[in-house]
Amino acid sequence: MPSLRSALSLDRLGSVIAVLIGVALFAAPFVIYRANRIAAGDGRMLVDALPLPGVLAVMAAALGVALCAALVRAPLIRLAAASIGLCIIVPAVGWSAGFVTPDGNTFARVSPSLGFWLLALSFALLAADALTRLNLGPWARLAAIAIAAAAMALLLASGAWDDLSLLKEYASRQDTFWREARQHLWLAFGSMAAACLVGLPLGILAHRMRRLRTPVLQGLSIVQTIPSIALFGILIAPLGYLAAHVPLLAAMGVRGIGAAPAFIALLLYSLLPVVANTVTGLNQVPAAVTDAARGMGLSARQRLWQVELPLALPVILAGIRIVLVQNLGLATVAALIGGGGFGTFVFQGIGQTAIDLVLLGAIPTVALSFAAAVILDAIIDLTRRGSAA
Amino acid sequence: MIEIEHLTKRYDDTIVVDDVSLRVDEGTIAVVVGTSGAGKSTLLRMINRLVEPSAGRVLIDGEDTMTIPEDELRHRIGYVIQGYGLFPHRNVAENIATVPRLLGWDKRRIAARVEELLDLFQLDPADFARKFPHELSGGQQQRVGVARALAARPAVLLMDEPFGALDPVIRSKAQDDLIAIQRRLGTTIVLVTHDMNEAFQLGDRIAVMDRARLLQYATPAELLTRPAEDFVEQLVGTAERPFRLLSLMRVQQAVEQGDAEGEPVLVTDSLRDALSRLIWTGRDTLPVADASGARVGRVSVKGIMAHGRAVA
């Protein structure tokens, strides 16, 4: 009976997710308990990590999501199941931290462990898959990311996670965290803005002058092949020399190490995507359109602003998206040469073998890159006005 | 009126347009035909200075185009190309408003003009003004392209293969519409095509070009009866000649006294259509009626044939 068979058939991705959930519940520790922030950890299975009602709630939620993933096909139901699952396990891990920590012990640390991460990963996968299947428009995607951000903010503000090691690391570094966050954003967005200021005119020039195009693009490609740490290193010598010999630059804070070489390195990495996409975007403007524009008497400037740039915009924005996501990640490395940013926590954490400190730097970086990608994708879709949907 | 005087275009050693002179009278359609690479498009593009002439000059209503700033000149000349080059990021109304906006017309005047043009081209403004080019059919895109070129009421319209992208049925309708609109507005048109049928259907005069030179510039009938060179004769198509000639003449010119059996042809039909009806119905004669339906005489196969000969 084929109809019955298809009704009961297993969803492929859903089955994998269901297996992951099974492993997470019964074969992996839910949290790790450490006597202090750098001591070796000791895993706690779910049944030992929460009081009984909590254990039951997490079990029920996880099994429900697993069943949904394997058997239900409607994306809206899958999305709802995944969201409810996340809304239960995420506060639960904070509750677990309070439950596992002995009363009055301020040295003990509790962190989410493999079991929690697997559950979170499988729920997130299911939600992402459902969102893809729903094929949301740009505004709906922006709304979804706003809701996710608001939920995160609510969770952190509520104090539900305060007993987790990650937030204890945050609590003892509150001031530096926001300073490094500002620095990180300044490095990533500032270098992106500078790359647009330099790269857009350079791209337009390279499009207009064929002879310039190949050398410019090849030069920028070569820059792109230099590993980031090497590029930071290469910049230290000339910038140090400049700072020592040009008092004005030194007064502006330019030094061989610190933010200046990091900013310049990020700017250099950003140029290739911006310039290459500007050239590509302008190239794909149909010849008939520019010919008609000329024939109707639009001046060179009017053609550029009214016809060529608007038509090239989606491609140029795609370049800027690459730059932003790349810079948000690369800015982490800037900490190695004293440039600040979230990388500071990552490298401190590695130095102290304090994994939660590493996460304090890594999680915001990943979240920012992800959000930037989603937001810019939506904006690119919104600018494709008039082209076939 | 457009006067082209000794217009020449050279690229290094290649001559693309070689000393072409011709005059297009006000309110007429001149069609430039020739094989590809004959220099037709270059000739056309020298009129609005998209290509700068190497020698010679173009006068529009007596004014040398070189004395007018390029962009200002192009605001005054409509331009339609194959594929139309509609702006994909602007809707139909915005596309049509391009030149009026460059000229700084006020909003109300632009809106009124857009509506007027959409009506003229049988595109319902309520339906089409907000559509984007990719939402239109080929024929609708073509009409918007011509409407856009006519937006600022140019006295001169240049068209480069404007029907090239249309299928035959829509093309012939679009050609008829163009003639109707041209007669109504009195626009002077220079149209480039490689399609001889199109040239004969549209042209008040036809310019035949080959390898950069203008071989002959004459009325369609002259081109048929007195071709200047073998190449013109060949291009016109020797087998097609009598039929082309007949299609240029109206039944009016061949009406005889008397009556005949059958469904009447109209005085305004072409002789070619009348002959075609005679052959198809197997008759020697058919009655002729005028626009009001009154019988005014008859046409005969013999009478029509007399008009399709080389020397009248």
Side-chain angles (χ1 to χ4, degrees), chain B residues 14 63 67 85 97 104 123 146 159 168 199 247 258 268-269:
Chain B
T14 355
E63 200 177 352
T67 64
L123 295 165
V146 182
M159 310 180 93
S247 69
T268 50
D269 287 343

Side-chain angles (χ1 to χ4, degrees), chain A residues 2-385:
Chain A
S3 61
L4 188 64
R5 197 184 237 175
S6 69
L8 280 177
S9 75
L10 292 176
D11 182 89
R12 229 181 259 165
L13 176 74
S15 314
V16 174
I17 288 175
V19 171
L20 273 182
I21 291 174
V23 171
L25 281 183
F26 303 109
F30 190 64
V31 292
I32 290 184
Y33 174 80
R34 291 191 188 85
N36 60 55
R37 67 187 279 260
I38 55 172
D42 149 36
R44 296 284 167 87
M45 299 301 284
L46 180 60
V47 281
D48 305 321
L50 280 168
L52 189 61
V55 173
L56 292 177
V58 171
M59 286 266 185
L63 290 173
V65 175
L67 276 174
C68 236
L71 297 174
V72 180
R73 281 172 180 268
L76 261 181
I77 298 179
R78 289 161 73 98
L79 178 63
S83 308
I84 294 170
L86 281 170
C87 287
I88 289 173
I89 63 158
V90 169
V93 79
W95 186 16
S96 164
F99 177 73
V100 170
T101 309
D103 279 340
N105 183 341
T106 54
F107 294 110
R109 293 301 182 96
V110 179
S111 316
S113 182
L114 186 63
F116 170 78
W117 291 122
L118 277 181
L119 282 180
L121 171 75
S122 42
F123 293 0
L125 257 180
L126 187 63
D129 175 58
L131 283 170
T132 317
R133 290 194 202 186
L134 281 173
N135 203 1
L136 294 176
W139 289 112
R141 295 208 301 274
L142 286 176
I145 194 97
I147 291 171
M152 268 324 280
L154 194 70
L155 172 80
L156 294 175
S158 71
W161 267 22
D162 282 357
D163 290 328
L164 275 177
S165 179
L166 182 67
L167 283 221
K168 286 186 175 168
E169 295 286 356
Y170 165 73
S172 58
R173 285 177 182 74
Q174 220 158 347
D175 295 340
T176 38
F177 180 85
W178 290 109
R179 202 177 63 223
E180 300 301 355
R182 270 200 303 279
Q183 177 73 1
H184 198 96
L185 292 176
W186 154 245
L187 279 174
F189 282 88
S191 59
M192 178 203 81
C196 291
L197 279 180
V198 180
L200 281 174
L202 192 60
I204 293 167
L205 207 65
H207 172 257
R208 296 285 191 267
M209 303 169 72
R210 280 195 147 273
R211 242 182 291 162
L212 207 65
R213 198 179 298 174
T214 323
V216 164
L217 290 180
Q218 272 175 359
L220 293 176
S221 304
I222 290 171
V223 172
Q224 202 77 202
T225 61
I226 305 174
S228 52
I229 295 183
L231 187 54
F232 291 143
I234 290 170
L235 286 169
I236 288 176
L239 284 175
Y241 179 85
L242 278 179
H245 292 86
V246 185
L248 179 70
L249 287 178
M252 283 166 64
V254 172
R255 236 161 280 137
I257 57 167
F263 189 92
I264 294 176
L266 291 179
L267 165 65
L268 289 176
Y269 283 130
S270 309
L271 281 178
L272 180 66
V274 173
V275 174
N277 281 44
T278 305
V279 172
T280 312
L282 291 174
N283 267 344
Q284 50 129 54
V285 174
V289 171
T290 37
D291 188 36
R294 251 188 96 207
M296 283 188 293
L298 277 81
S299 65
R301 177 177 302 197
Q302 287 166 335
R303 288 202 300 276
L304 180 67
W305 287 103
Q306 297 180 22
V307 180
E308 295 182 290
L309 282 181
L311 288 176
L313 191 61
V315 181
I316 296 176
L317 281 177
I320 291 176
R321 172 196 187 278
I322 295 173
V323 163
L324 194 53
V325 173
Q326 169 185 290
N327 281 5
L328 282 165
L330 273 181
T332 319
V333 187
L336 276 184
I337 53 161
F342 286 127
T344 313
F345 304 122
V346 174
F347 293 113
Q348 270 179 19
I350 291 174
Q352 303 171 1
T353 62
I355 194 68
D356 291 305
L357 186 54
V358 174
L359 289 179
L360 184 65
I363 291 176
T365 310
V366 173
L368 277 174
S369 300
F370 179 74
V374 172
I375 291 170
L376 273 168
D377 275 341
I379 293 176
I380 291 169
D381 275 4
L382 288 174
T383 56
R384 288 190 192 278
R385 185 186 180 213

Side-chain angles (χ1 to χ4, degrees), chain B residues 7-294:
Chain B
L7 210 53
T8 300
K9 182 64 192 177
R10 249 180 255 109
Y11 290 106
D12 299 324
D13 289 337
T14 355
I15 290 199
V16 189
V17 173
D18 187 4
D19 193 23
V20 170
S21 298
L22 56 85
R23 206 177 85 166
V24 186
D25 287 326
E26 185 151 356
T28 63
I29 302 181
V31 178
V32 185
V33 283
T35 48
S36 51
K40 316 180 291 272
S41 290
T42 310
L43 177 67
L44 188 82
R45 291 161 70 87
M46 278 193 283
I47 298 175
N48 63 359
R49 287 175 58 197
L50 283 172
V51 174
E52 291 291 345
S54 309
R57 58 178 193 162
V58 178
L59 305 178
I60 292 181
D61 294 329
E63 200 177 352
D64 187 340
T65 53
M66 295 307 283
T67 64
I68 310 168
E70 270 181 65
D71 292 334
E72 201 188 311
L73 173 72
R74 291 179 198 143
H75 295 161
R76 286 157 50 174
I77 301 178
Y79 184 55
V80 181
I81 51 176
Q82 180 166 19
Y84 329 118
L86 297 178
F87 299 149
H89 59 305
R90 294 199 177 160
N91 65 30
V92 167
E94 291 166 335
N95 262 290
I96 294 177
T98 305
V99 180
R101 260 177 31 189
L102 292 176
L103 294 175
W105 289 16
D106 69 59
K107 272 187 182 166
R108 235 172 315 148
R109 188 169 166 215
I110 293 178
R113 180 64 179 152
V114 167
E115 192 154 333
E116 186 185 343
L117 281 163
L118 285 173
D119 278 333
L120 182 65
F121 282 88
Q122 297 152 37
L123 295 165
D124 181 8
D127 221 21
F128 284 93
R130 302 203 153 274
K131 282 196 174 169
F132 283 95
H134 75 267
E135 297 171 291
L136 305 178
S137 71
Q140 290 163 347
Q141 287 182 17
Q142 200 267 345
R143 279 182 272 169
V144 173
V146 182
R148 182 174 72 170
L150 291 173
R153 305 181 193 279
V156 172
L157 181 60
L158 306 180
M159 310 180 93
D160 194 347
E161 301 270 5
F163 308 107
L166 299 180
D167 66 63
V169 178
I170 296 174
R171 184 184 307 167
S172 125
K173 162 94 167 76
Q175 289 164 344
D176 291 341
D177 289 349
L178 180 71
I179 292 180
I181 285 167
Q182 189 267 344
R183 298 289 179 242
R184 206 163 130 183
L185 303 178
T187 317
T188 309
I189 298 181
V190 182
L191 185 146
V192 163
T193 181
H194 61 263
D195 176 354
M196 250 314 161
N197 290 325
E198 188 166 293
F200 275 93
Q201 190 180 349
L202 298 175
D204 292 311
R205 293 176 82 88
I206 297 175
V208 182
M209 284 189 74
D210 183 44
R211 280 172 288 176
R213 289 187 313 124
L214 176 65
L215 301 184
Q216 187 170 13
Y217 179 53
T219 62
E222 250 182 285
L223 221 54
L224 290 165
T225 52
R226 284 192 291 278
E229 293 189 22
D230 288 348
F231 180 79
V232 177
E233 199 173 331
Q234 209 182 315
L235 200 68
V236 167
T238 40
E240 295 280 326
R241 253 182 329 197
F243 303 105
R244 287 203 201 282
L245 200 53
L246 289 177
S247 69
L248 293 171
M249 285 179 269
R250 306 287 125 195
V251 168
Q252 181 81 64
Q253 290 163 270
V255 179
E256 303 162 11
Q257 298 289 324
D259 205 1
E261 295 280 300
E263 187 77 10
V265 293
L266 294 175
V267 283
T268 50
D269 287 343
S270 75
L271 283 184
R272 180 188 184 148
D273 292 344
L275 180 64
S276 156
R277 284 269 305 283
L278 285 164
I279 295 171
W280 196 249
T281 51
R283 297 176 194 274
D284 285 330
T285 55
L286 274 175
V288 176
D290 63 14
S292 64

